[in-house]
Amino acid sequence: SFNGLLVVFPFFLTGQCRLSGTKAGTMMLGFAATMAFGTRLFGGWVDRYGSPKVMAGGALAVSLVAAASHLLDGSSLAGVLLCLVGFAAGLSAVMVASSVHMMGLAPKGQEGVFSALNFLMSPVGGALGVGVFSYLWSRAGADELRAFHHSMLAALACAGTVLVLASQIQ
């Protein structure tokens, strides 16, 4: 979802919201700033509450934001910014918690291999997200709002999957 959302939102902001590229980029800074702040915050929460709880909480947040994003039509920039910040917060929690959890599964002496696999998942998952979200966007044709809503369904499906998986972790 992370990279897919990074592809979709600039198109939504410049197309449906009718923002200039500069203004759309400025709005995207809310996403980046939230990620920068959130990773430190959620890292502390993982240390305090454990990876599964933080991962599930982040996935639940992304699910709620993805569902609520269907109310957006581009007319409320405050709503769009709130959506961006919500996605960034939830995704920060999921990404930090899943990385910590993965590293905790590494057998002694194989931390490097697990770190390499963890690192590999980011670009592979990112490329998959860009491909899926781009495909969904293109299937909606010229209707940017419909394309956006289709992409939000994909974000909801991804977050729902993570939520189910996180709830299974002991």
Side-chain angles (χ1 to χ4, degrees):
S1 289
F2 175 75
N3 286 20
L5 291 170
L6 289 178
V7 167
V8 165
F9 266 97
F11 286 118
F12 181 70
L13 292 169
T14 57
Q16 186 70 24
C17 299
R18 306 281 186 245
L19 296 180
S20 68
T22 301
K23 288 182 181 174
T26 302
M27 290 261 314
M28 292 299 294
L29 288 176
F31 187 93
T34 303
M35 293 285 296
F37 175 76
T39 52
R40 171 63 182 98
L41 173 72
F42 295 121
W45 286 12
V46 166
D47 292 340
R48 187 174 300 131
Y49 304 112
S51 298
K53 287 181 182 174
V54 175
M55 194 181 320
L60 179 60
V62 172
S63 296
L64 293 173
V65 173
S69 69
H70 284 275
L71 301 173
L72 296 176
D73 63 3
S75 63
S76 168
L77 292 182
V80 175
L81 182 59
L82 187 61
C83 186
L84 279 166
V85 167
F87 273 128
L91 288 168
S92 294
V94 169
M95 292 167 76
V96 168
S98 62
S99 292
V100 170
H101 185 74
M102 176 76 167
M103 291 308 298
L105 296 175
K108 187 76 173 151
Q110 292 187 350
E111 295 89 354
V113 172
F114 271 64
S115 179
L117 289 172
N118 194 29
F119 179 75
L120 176 64
M121 289 296 101
S122 183
V124 169
L128 181 61
V130 167
V132 168
F133 280 64
S134 297
Y135 172 77
L136 291 171
W137 189 274
S138 70
R139 294 289 298 160
D143 187 345
E144 291 169 339
L145 186 57
R146 188 169 151 230
F148 178 74
H149 288 157
H150 283 179
S151 299
M152 296 304 103
L153 285 174
L156 180 59
C158 291
T161 301
V162 172
L163 184 57
V164 168
L165 293 173
S167 70
Q168 302 301 310
I169 297 172
Q170 300 300 328

